[in-house]
Amino acid sequence: MIIAAGGGRRIGGPEALLHQGEKPLVSRMIDTMAEAGCAPLVVVLGAAADQVRETADLTGATVVVNRAWGTGVGSSIRAGLAALDDEAIEAVVVVPVDMPGLTAAAVRRVVALPYPDVLVCATYGGLRGYPMLFGRRHWSGIATLASADVGARPYLLAHKDQIVDISCDSVADGSRVDTPELMALYGLTVPPQRVGV
């Protein structure tokens, strides 16, 4: 699941519209997840969803539009989990779109244990980050506790002894682009937005 719904007020536009060169970052993230063997792919859009659909290649992904995107990442996680209605899916890996340094190798490390009762977090420098893997048995609890801009954090804190930490330092950069300085570092741009989108 790729969370690409935020308005990106700190970076000047919606994260899903970020471009690295000519390619939207959301399309790059779909490629990364597919290369890692993740299927089915769900992309949760929100801010500027229509413009994202027009500019990004979302082929191979189920697109869910979170109309409540302004309430924070918690509502996007709930929307994405609700779209995963195939009972055969035992776990979901969650990534935000604003991680240009994420690699398929990091995703593969985290998804190596796709069981219904698993909770896995990538770590960078000993700190938890994305990708995160949520086993199906946790989805209801995550959806219930996911809130505002902290997403699944309340659920993860309540179940911290069950989390498996997987170091991804050597295979990915866990930085999230949330400042103009990081946008410049990664060569990211936000194209002009249409008014009223």
Side-chain angles (χ1 to χ4, degrees), residues 112-196:
L113 303 168
Y115 303 111
D117 57 348
V118 72
L119 287 173
V120 179
C121 291
T123 64
Y124 304 91
L127 300 175
R128 289 184 176 142
Y130 291 95
M132 295 179 182
L133 182 69
F134 304 146
R136 180 176 281 280
R137 291 189 188 137
H138 296 283
W139 294 2
S140 175
I142 289 169
T144 299
L145 293 180
S147 63
D149 281 337
V150 295
R153 191 177 307 152
Y155 187 86
L156 295 174
L157 287 172
H159 296 84
K160 62 184 176 214
D161 295 336
Q162 297 175 36
I163 298 172
V164 176
D165 291 324
I166 303 292
S167 174
C168 291
D169 300 277
S170 65
V171 296
D173 178 350
S175 299
R176 299 209 34 213
V177 176
D178 59 1
T179 66
E181 294 78 17
L182 283 173
M183 283 182 60
L185 179 68
Y186 286 101
L188 300 175
T189 59
V190 178
Q193 298 159 56
R194 295 191 314 256
V195 176

Side-chain angles (χ1 to χ4, degrees), residues 85-99:
D85 55 6
D86 181 346
E87 293 296 323
I89 300 171
E90 293 188 325
V92 62
V93 62
V94 178
V95 298
V97 73
D98 61 356
M99 287 183 69

Side-chain angles (χ1 to χ4, degrees), residues 11-28:
I11 60 171
E15 289 98 348
L17 290 177
L18 288 172
H19 277 63
Q20 195 168 38
E22 295 297 314
K23 192 168 187 176
L25 201 53
V26 68
S27 298
R28 289 184 184 276

Side-chain angles (χ1 to χ4, degrees), residues 1 3 9 18 20 29-31 49 51 54 58 64 70 79 89 96 101 108 119 121 137-138 141 147 166 177 180 187:
M1 176 191 326
I3 304 294
R9 65 185 174 274
L18 288 172
Q20 195 168 38
M29 190 63 76
I30 288 171
D31 294 345
Q51 191 174 356
E54 292 171 8
L58 303 173
V64 176
I89 300 171
R108 281 192 294 269
L119 287 173
C121 291
R137 291 189 188 137
H138 296 283
S147 63
I166 303 292
V177 176

Side-chain angles (χ1 to χ4, degrees), residues 100-117:
L102 186 66
T103 63
V107 176
R108 281 192 294 269
R109 280 188 182 187
V110 170
V111 302
L113 303 168
Y115 303 111
D117 57 348

